[in-house]
Amino acid sequence: MEDKPNETRPQIPAWVWILGVFVLILGAQLWLSGRFNGPEQISLPDAMAQVKDGDVKTLTVTGNRLRLTMQDDTELSTTIDSRSSLEEIFNYFGLTQEMLQENNVELIINDQSGWNTFLSLFLGIGPILLIIWIFSRGFRQMQGGGGNSIFGFGRSKAKNLNDADRPTVTFEDVAGVEEAKQELAEVVQFLREPEKFVQVGARIPKGVLMVGPPGTGKTLLARAIAGEAGVPFFHISGSEFVEMFVGVGASRVRDLFDKAKQAAPSIVFVDEVDAVGRQRGAGLGGGNDEREQTLNQILVEMDGFDNETNVIVMAATNRADVLDPALLRPGRFDRKVFVDLPDVKGREAILAVHARGKPIASEVSFTDMARLTAGFSGADLENLINEAAIFAARRDQKTIGLLEFQDAFDRVVMGPERKSRVMSEEDKETVAYHEAGHAVVSFNLINTDPVQKITIVPRGRAGGYVMPLPEDRFVHSREFFDDQIAFALGGRAAEEVFFGRITTGASNDLQQATRRARAMVMQYGMSDALGLPTYGDQRNSPFLGQEWGYGMGARDYSEEAAKAIDEEVRKILHNNYERALAIVRENRERMVALAEMLMEVETLDRETFEKLMNDPMDSAPAMDEVLA
């Protein structure tokens, strides 16, 4: 016979016990007062008069309660003085034993002296015992370090991951960040084999700061370290230090490091450290600001007067630019690990990791998917595979095929398909020529990516889109920016050439083109008129957490320079728009053929598009070939 697992009974909250005791005391008091006894209440003189008149059949005495059973079997009730005997009460009202016998009144006396004594003691001492129990429970929680108790505001909320709670994630489950893994693996190795490093005079790093864009795997790396390291691992978020009460954050920092020192060697991981580590002096609170007091305590604990501790502090943030310089210096954070967006090989490895245990069809190539997903983070790739699996389940597929991955990519990048949106023929024609303009301009430029897909099916807020096949680039030239601006303006150029009018469909294209042109002028020194200087403070405001001015930082230039910047931005946009217009006019016939094909089939792939653009017009693919 198999042993059944031990089932833990649900804990009854303390307020339930307190409420139950109060209800019990209240019920006892009401019972003693006769509220729940039922019979009608009358005065004692009226009760004695009823007995003298012979209307009473039975008198029942219970404690200080006197119940009268009338001749018609109705019942009445009254209260007698417990300090006087029953004989004294009868004599006071002139009621003798002879009268009771003449009227055939039966007298019944119930002895309840013991119960009354116990109930009186309970009602007198019960509330006092209840108050003592509440305070003793609160002090036990305070001594036990309960951070959520009413006495535990200053206790740390960090979770100590023991062997039972330790994550099963290891470094094998993390891909695409090989350099970061190597840096962090050394920390784990130092904790496992400290003698190997001590022999050559190396010391353990005091702190490791992981910096990178959102979704690149910083927290996942911390979970892998918790799974690999054989030492206590304390995990806490930066926002859990600060409360509305002054001094609570600093108290929690002291409590956290005290626990870590007692369990040393150990690791403390602070996620989103920018919530508490922002630069001091940027807010309105000055030196008495609660967040600044918490940061000061962290600085002291990491490298204060007593720095002989064997505690490694790990932290993660995607806003290293707003952190206090004292927090970033060596001695506190000796290592800065940059967890950047993965390259094409890293994306392929990440896709393989997240595809474990999922029925992926043989037609799916993670190499091709990695090329298509340039700029994706690890979280984006995980979401891509999950969306593909959802599509497969919705279609009752046994495996996740290439079509599911393509639909998932479109959903992640552009949003869900808006099938309910009905477009008029005029709007459909406008969108078709608009997207054809983007595609044809991109095809005739050098520094643009190949067109992977063209569609006029609405997704998200877009009426249609052209999907390029991006490549990983780390250095961008002036020619690259010019071609990208011309590509963005291709849709508006097509509308002007074919319809002689402009629409709101190019609003997002204009924003992207303007942003690139302004970056060329203000950040990258790609303007002949303004030359090498950069304009605008590119550092973010640590107080506002956002950029100022023109969207390129705080303004640090004159009115003359601002006027020159506007003129240069306008010039760059105008020149590239003229290039887009020239390409559209030169490829007018192919534009018409491409737009008509889009209005018919709505979506074209790379092969069909390139065949249309490369082959002579008389040998272009027929419509029936495209539909097939």
Side-chain angles (χ1 to χ4, degrees):
M1 183 175 179
E2 296 182 357
D3 295 334
K4 295 183 179 180
N6 294 329
E7 297 182 356
T8 58
R9 295 183 178 179
Q11 295 291 333
I12 300 178
W15 65 269
V16 175
W17 290 102
I18 297 173
L19 181 62
V21 172
F22 275 117
V23 170
L24 184 62
I25 294 176
L26 180 62
Q29 291 178 343
L30 292 176
W31 183 83
L32 288 180
S33 63
R35 299 288 179 88
F36 294 156
N37 294 345
E40 180 184 351
Q41 300 292 316
I42 62 174
S43 63
L44 183 60
D46 292 340
M48 295 296 102
Q50 295 277 2
V51 174
K52 290 180 179 180
D53 294 340
D55 298 332
V56 178
K57 180 170 59 176
T58 305
L59 278 177
T60 304
V61 181
T62 305
N64 64 340
R65 305 297 301 172
L66 179 63
R67 177 171 295 188
L68 293 77
T69 304
M70 312 303 291
Q71 297 293 341
D72 55 358
D73 292 333
T74 59
E75 292 187 349
L76 301 175
S77 178
T78 187
T79 304
I80 61 178
D81 188 1
S82 59
R83 294 172 296 179
S84 302
S85 64
L86 186 60
E87 184 178 357
E88 293 176 347
I89 295 174
F90 285 171
N91 292 335
Y92 178 80
F93 287 100
L95 185 63
T96 61
Q97 291 291 336
E98 290 76 10
M99 291 183 180
L100 295 176
Q101 292 177 359
E102 290 177 359
N103 296 328
N104 297 321
V105 178
E106 181 181 3
L107 182 62
I108 302 175
I109 299 176
N110 295 326
D111 187 9
Q112 294 285 325
S113 58
W115 166 251
N116 289 338
T117 303
F118 171 77
L119 192 59
S120 300
L121 289 175
F122 175 75
L123 295 178
I125 303 177
I128 300 176
L129 295 177
L130 180 62
I131 294 174
I132 295 175
W133 176 78
I134 293 174
F135 276 93
S136 63
R137 183 179 177 86
F139 280 112
R140 282 200 305 270
Q141 290 183 353
M142 180 182 65
Q143 295 174 358
N148 294 326
S149 66
I150 58 176
F151 298 97
F153 291 119
R155 298 294 180 179
S156 170
K157 297 182 179 180
K159 300 176 183 178
N160 184 5
L161 303 182
N162 51 33
D163 294 336
D165 300 330
R166 196 176 300 277
T168 58
V169 179
T170 62
F171 284 129
E172 295 181 358
D173 301 316
V174 183
V177 285
E178 300 304 322
E179 293 80 5
K181 284 170 56 176
Q182 183 178 359
E183 292 281 341
L184 298 174
E186 289 184 2
V187 176
V188 176
Q189 188 178 7
F190 195 105
L191 292 171
R192 289 181 173 179
E193 303 173 342
E195 299 83 6
K196 177 179 177 180
F197 296 87
V198 174
Q199 289 177 357
V200 295
R203 66 173 180 84
I204 187 170
K206 289 259 185 99
V208 179
L209 179 64
M210 293 184 289
V211 182
T216 51
K218 299 182 293 294
T219 305
L220 183 63
L221 280 169
R223 294 178 60 193
I225 293 175
E228 294 275 357
V231 297
F233 188 93
F234 295 87
H235 169 241
I236 193 171
S237 173
S239 60
E240 295 184 45
F241 285 116
V242 182
E243 291 280 359
M244 61 180 293
F245 304 102
V246 177
V248 172
S251 175
R252 288 180 176 175
V253 171
R254 289 190 296 267
D255 183 67
L256 171 62
F257 278 87
D258 287 342
K259 293 178 181 178
K261 291 174 185 177
Q262 294 174 4
S266 59
I267 298 176
V268 174
F269 175 63
V270 183
D271 200 3
E272 303 296 343
V273 70
D274 54 278
V276 69
R278 284 176 174 260
Q279 184 174 347
R280 292 169 291 181
L284 301 176
N288 293 325
D289 182 61
E290 168 65 11
R291 182 186 54 78
E292 293 191 4
Q293 291 189 24
T294 306
L295 175 58
N296 291 336
Q297 189 63 44
I298 293 177
L299 298 177
V300 172
E301 293 290 347
M302 290 189 66
D303 189 23
F305 189 78
D306 182 16
N307 57 8
E308 295 298 327
T309 60
N310 200 12
V311 177
I312 298 178
V313 180
M314 296 183 60
T317 181
N318 48 33
R319 295 295 307 277
D321 55 325
V322 302
L323 295 180
D324 194 276
L327 187 65
L328 298 176
R329 72 164 178 83
R332 292 194 172 102
F333 283 111
D334 299 300
R335 288 190 178 183
K336 296 179 182 63
V337 179
F338 294 94
V339 188
D340 210 345
L341 293 173
D343 56 11
V344 61
K345 293 184 179 179
R347 293 193 297 273
E348 183 177 355
I350 291 173
L351 288 169
V353 168
H354 292 301
R356 292 175 183 172
K358 294 182 176 62
I360 307 297
S362 58
E363 62 181 0
V364 177
S365 172
F366 286 151
T367 303
D368 296 338
M369 293 300 301
R371 289 189 58 199
L372 185 63
T373 54
F376 274 41
S377 65
D380 294 329
L381 295 172
E382 181 184 12
N383 187 37
L384 175 66
I385 292 183
N386 184 62
E387 290 291 341
I390 292 175
F391 273 112
R394 190 182 300 168
R395 297 167 182 171
D396 296 327
Q397 301 289 335
K398 299 298 181 182
T399 59
I400 306 174
L402 183 60
L403 179 60
E404 283 71 37
F405 273 98
Q406 292 174 349
D407 292 341
F409 180 84
D410 293 339
R411 183 182 183 89
V412 170
V413 175
M414 299 301 300
E417 183 176 339
R418 299 173 64 181
K419 297 181 180 180
S420 60
R421 180 176 178 179
V422 179
M423 297 178 62
S424 64
E425 289 299 324
E426 182 181 358
D427 288 345
K428 191 174 183 180
E429 184 182 17
T430 302
V431 174
Y433 276 94
H434 182 100
E435 302 305 332
H438 283 303
V440 171
V441 171
S442 176
F443 183 82
N444 288 274
L445 295 175
I446 299 176
N447 298 285
T448 53
D449 299 312
V451 174
Q452 178 72 14
K453 182 180 180 180
I454 312 170
T455 181
I456 60 172
V457 176
R459 280 187 177 272
R461 300 181 64 181
Y465 59 93
V466 174
M467 180 188 298
L469 183 61
E471 297 180 0
D472 292 320
R473 292 185 177 90
F474 301 99
V475 178
H476 301 88
S477 63
R478 179 175 180 175
E479 292 75 17
F480 170 81
F481 283 112
D482 283 332
D483 287 356
Q484 292 295 321
I485 293 173
F487 165 63
L489 299 176
R492 181 186 174 100
E495 293 180 11
E496 181 176 340
V497 170
F498 286 94
F499 302 107
R501 54 181 170 81
I502 55 178
T503 67
T504 59
S507 59
N508 187 50
D509 300 330
L510 294 176
Q511 292 175 6
Q512 294 183 12
T514 304
R515 190 180 304 113
R516 289 181 183 274
R518 193 171 294 279
M520 292 173 64
V521 175
M522 299 180 65
Q523 286 184 264
Y524 306 131
M526 295 179 179
S527 169
D528 296 332
L530 294 173
L532 300 178
T534 61
Y535 298 88
D537 187 2
Q538 306 306 319
R539 297 171 299 176
N540 292 333
S541 167
F543 175 59
L544 295 178
Q546 60 186 5
E547 296 175 344
W548 290 342
Y550 282 91
M552 300 303 297
R555 180 169 175 173
D556 59 353
Y557 44 87
S558 64
E559 289 294 335
E560 291 78 9
K563 182 177 180 181
I565 290 172
D566 292 339
E567 292 177 353
E568 281 298 300
V569 171
R570 190 179 299 109
K571 179 181 177 181
I572 292 174
L573 294 175
H574 175 74
N575 291 340
N576 287 290
Y577 186 60
E578 291 296 328
R579 293 173 63 203
L581 285 172
I583 294 174
V584 171
R585 292 190 180 106
E586 292 174 2
N587 296 268
R588 188 181 186 93
E589 293 183 4
R590 299 187 188 275
M591 282 281 302
V592 173
L594 179 58
E596 291 178 352
M597 197 175 296
L598 283 172
M599 286 188 288
E600 184 69 26
V601 299
E602 293 186 340
T603 301
L604 293 178
D605 58 11
R606 177 179 180 179
E607 181 180 357
T608 306
F609 169 69
E610 292 184 351
K611 184 175 180 60
L612 174 65
M613 296 302 297
N614 290 322
D615 295 345
M617 287 304 299
D618 55 359
S619 62
M623 190 62 64
D624 54 352
E625 296 179 6
V626 177
L627 293 175

